[in-house]
Amino acid sequence: GQVQRSGGVERPFVLTRAFFAGSQRYGAVWTGDNAAEWDHLKISIPMCLSLGLVGISFCGADVGGFFKNPEPELLVRWYQAGAYQPFFRAHAHVDTIRREPWLFGEENKVLIRDAIRQRYALLPFWYTAFYHSYRTGQPVMRPLWVEYPQDATTFSIDDQYLLGDALLVHPVTAQGARGVQVYLPGKGEVWYDVHTHQKLHAPQTLYLTVTMSSIPVYQRGGSIVARKERVRRSSDCMQNDPYTLYVALGPQGTAKGDLFVDDGHTYNFETKGQYLHRHFSFSGNTLTASSADPKGNYETSAWIERVVILGAGKPAAVFLKQAGVAETRLDFMHEAETSVLTLRKPAVNIGADWTISLR
């Protein structure tokens, strides 16, 4: 009925907590009436992992708990955890006290705002992960053993997880926590702390000291993640904003990733082929952008304003090449301490083919 209401043009949003086999084709699921308790925050992770494994990727828990009243620390930690779960929503019973983020003091407001900004910056990554889930059924939020089935250490881990195959998240879910144990899987692989860009070798279990601002997230070496980092009032305002590509180099100095773009609200990607599916690869000191699906075509003014390469040495020069256009030199900045190379303003359309060479 909701599809018919727009003449089959608009994708409806349906949210449920009761479902059956096949429900994942029609809407999102939340985990039901939870409470403002630390145990309920902690268990939201295995609950969403279980839902994802049975095909329901668009899942999440009521941030802050539906019943009872969360203390400031619990509310902050729940926003931080929820920001890295597929369905992200604060929701509460009508009889609970008001809990808007700005009612808990300036310090907590800033912490919650930062978590929400991290969520919005990653919307291109989330959208692409959901496209893959739509096409293949792979869960967006997945246990570590999905990607590392030969690693028995991952089998019992349910307090950290992967988003797609590129990001590893370990939310802080314990009251008064001063540190967390993080397991980084993958023999011979590397991971990068997304906040500090520190490079870490796997497999290993590390003790990470945390503060109230900490949301432990790691990008897998060998992956490329697209972000939109300009702060807006809504995702609709971000539609034509520029992208930043985070290229996390693997042990062999290579990386790959993709990006799916369409209008975000209609079925035109299916009925009219109005979409872009872009493929990015880094190898031999060259970053290449190409079409992952030539059948799609979508006009957008969104462009690439920055490329951040993690684990890179300092080149003598960087050049951008497009078909039919003279090669141009790009400005760059290299941080020797963290081995982070930032390329400024390639200024190419997100739908264009191009190569960037480090020389």
Side-chain angles (χ1 to χ4, degrees):
Q2 292 200 32
V3 174
Q4 294 172 350
R5 193 163 58 183
S6 67
V9 174
E10 297 289 334
R11 287 177 253 168
F13 179 74
V14 179
L15 178 64
T16 183
R17 65 179 179 185
F19 48 88
F20 55 93
S23 288
Q24 73 277 0
R25 292 176 294 167
Y26 303 110
V29 169
W30 92 100
T31 57
D33 292 345
N34 55 5
E37 299 175 5
W38 286 94
D39 283 346
H40 284 217
L41 165 59
K42 185 175 183 178
I43 204 171
S44 69
I45 298 173
M47 289 178 77
C48 286
L49 290 174
S50 297
L51 285 168
L53 289 171
V54 297
I56 300 173
S57 267
F58 205 173
C59 61
D62 289 344
V63 169
F66 182 71
F67 293 119
K68 303 183 180 181
N69 301 302
E71 59 192 89
E73 182 189 3
L74 176 59
L75 187 65
V76 169
R77 290 303 192 197
W78 214 317
Y79 267 100
Q80 292 172 340
Y84 285 91
Q85 292 178 1
F87 179 61
F88 180 37
R89 176 188 70 153
H91 183 51
H93 191 276
V94 67
D95 291 331
T96 59
I97 62 174
R98 300 299 294 261
R99 59 170 75 164
E100 285 83 356
W102 53 87
L103 298 178
F104 289 78
E106 181 67 19
E107 184 177 349
N108 292 312
K109 182 190 76 173
V110 170
L111 293 171
I112 292 171
R113 182 170 60 194
D114 182 62
I116 294 171
R117 284 181 175 176
Q118 290 185 42
R119 167 67 171 216
Y120 273 71
L122 278 169
L123 285 181
F125 171 79
W126 280 106
Y127 201 71
T128 301
F130 270 104
Y131 173 73
H132 286 297
S133 180
Y134 171 70
R135 287 298 185 202
T136 69
Q138 293 184 82
V140 171
M141 176 180 174
R142 59 188 70 162
L144 271 59
W145 55 259
V146 170
E147 291 295 322
Y148 299 94
Q150 306 302 322
D151 186 350
T153 305
T154 66
F155 295 174
S156 61
I157 294 177
D158 64 2
D159 58 354
Q160 64 180 67
Y161 52 89
L162 294 168
L163 296 178
D165 61 2
L167 295 181
L168 184 150
V169 186
H170 191 308
V172 181
T173 59
Q175 185 177 17
R178 295 186 178 181
V180 293
Q181 295 275 358
V182 180
Y183 180 66
L184 300 176
K187 186 176 181 180
E189 291 195 27
V190 295
W191 295 84
Y192 298 86
D193 185 311
V194 301
H195 308 296
T196 67
H197 300 148
Q198 179 185 8
K199 182 179 180 179
L200 299 159
H201 293 269
Q204 68 161 304
T205 300
L206 62 97
Y207 179 81
L208 180 71
T209 302
V210 299
T211 65
M212 279 304 299
S213 64
S214 301
I215 313 176
V217 182
Y218 299 87
Q219 184 173 342
R220 188 178 183 179
S223 67
I224 299 177
V225 170
R227 284 180 167 88
K228 287 191 172 185
E229 298 188 319
R230 296 192 181 183
V231 177
R232 301 295 191 190
R233 290 168 295 181
S234 70
S235 58
D236 192 54
C237 295
M238 297 166 61
Q239 188 170 10
N240 293 316
D241 276 357
Y243 291 88
T244 295
L245 300 181
Y246 281 81
V247 181
L249 298 185
Q252 308 303 318
T254 61
K256 63 180 181 179
D258 66 334
L259 175 69
F260 183 81
V261 182
D262 64 9
D263 62 24
H265 62 91
T266 74
Y267 286 105
N268 289 349
F269 76 101
E270 284 280 17
T271 59
K272 299 181 180 180
Q274 293 181 0
Y275 64 90
L276 294 173
H277 190 190
R278 306 297 299 164
H279 176 73
F280 306 106
S281 65
F282 187 95
S283 181
N285 282 330
T286 300
L287 177 63
T288 303
S290 59
S291 176
D293 186 352
K295 296 191 295 292
N297 184 48
Y298 180 66
E299 295 292 328
T300 176
S301 58
W303 51 288
I304 297 175
E305 71 171 343
R306 190 182 303 109
V307 176
V308 180
I309 305 176
L310 310 180
K314 183 178 180 180
V318 179
F319 292 92
L320 169 69
K321 177 63 178 175
Q322 290 182 274
V325 181
E327 190 174 65
T328 57
R329 195 162 182 154
L330 296 180
D331 291 334
F332 67 89
M333 179 179 68
H334 184 261
E335 298 175 23
E337 186 176 344
T338 55
S339 297
V340 176
L341 177 66
T342 301
L343 313 181
R344 297 171 177 160
K345 291 191 176 178
V348 286
N349 188 278
I350 195 62
D353 293 347
W354 46 264
T355 59
I356 291 177
S357 302
L358 312 182
R359 300 176 189 170

